[in-house]
Amino acid sequence: MAIEVMPEWLASLDEEDVSFIKKFVLASGSLKEVAGIYGVTYPTVRLRLDRLIQKIRLGEQADEEPYIALIKRLAVKDKLDFDTAKLLINEYKKLREENKS
């Protein structure tokens, strides 16, 4: 069955990320095998996977507020590290909740 609606997190990935996911799946999740395919070390592939996981997690968050969307775009484009992006988003959400009260 084909995917009728592409998940937002998947649509936000670039071609290189999708290619990595495909190679990872075809290698049955073996980071050692993926490292061999790319000709890099295991820690390099592990770091790449960790960064991809962070991108997916950020992409899954459903908030569509302009500020949050901007922070996510900056993180996905490596203009801002993921930990800082999460911190900024969480602080923004706290302030927003405090202002509602």
Side-chain angles (χ1 to χ4, degrees):
M1 175 192 332
I3 298 175
E4 292 182 24
V5 177
M6 183 179 293
E8 188 176 326
W9 66 266
L10 184 58
S12 70
L13 299 179
D14 57 33
E15 247 182 85
E16 198 173 302
D17 292 331
V18 174
S19 175
F20 179 85
I21 291 170
K22 180 179 178 182
K23 288 176 182 170
F24 180 71
V25 170
L26 291 175
S28 298
S30 169
L31 293 179
K32 184 177 179 181
E33 190 172 327
V34 174
I37 292 168
Y38 281 103
V40 297
T41 64
Y42 176 92
T44 301
V45 173
R46 180 73 238 183
L47 180 63
R48 173 81 189 271
L49 179 60
D50 289 341
R51 290 180 58 95
L52 184 55
I53 290 167
Q54 290 175 328
K55 279 185 178 183
I56 291 170
R57 284 186 177 145
L58 279 176
E60 281 184 328
Q61 296 173 355
D63 292 308
E64 292 301 322
E65 292 191 36
Y67 178 79
I68 293 175
L70 170 64
I71 297 299
K72 287 180 185 179
R73 280 193 308 275
L74 290 172
V76 168
K77 294 180 180 179
D78 292 327
K79 303 290 184 192
L80 188 66
D81 67 88
F82 287 99
D83 290 332
T84 302
K86 286 168 40 175
L87 176 69
L88 289 171
I89 290 170
N90 289 336
E91 288 300 315
Y92 175 76
K93 286 179 179 180
K94 274 193 231 174
L95 282 172
R96 195 178 63 205
E97 287 301 313
E98 289 172 7
N99 289 333
K100 286 182 181 179
S101 303

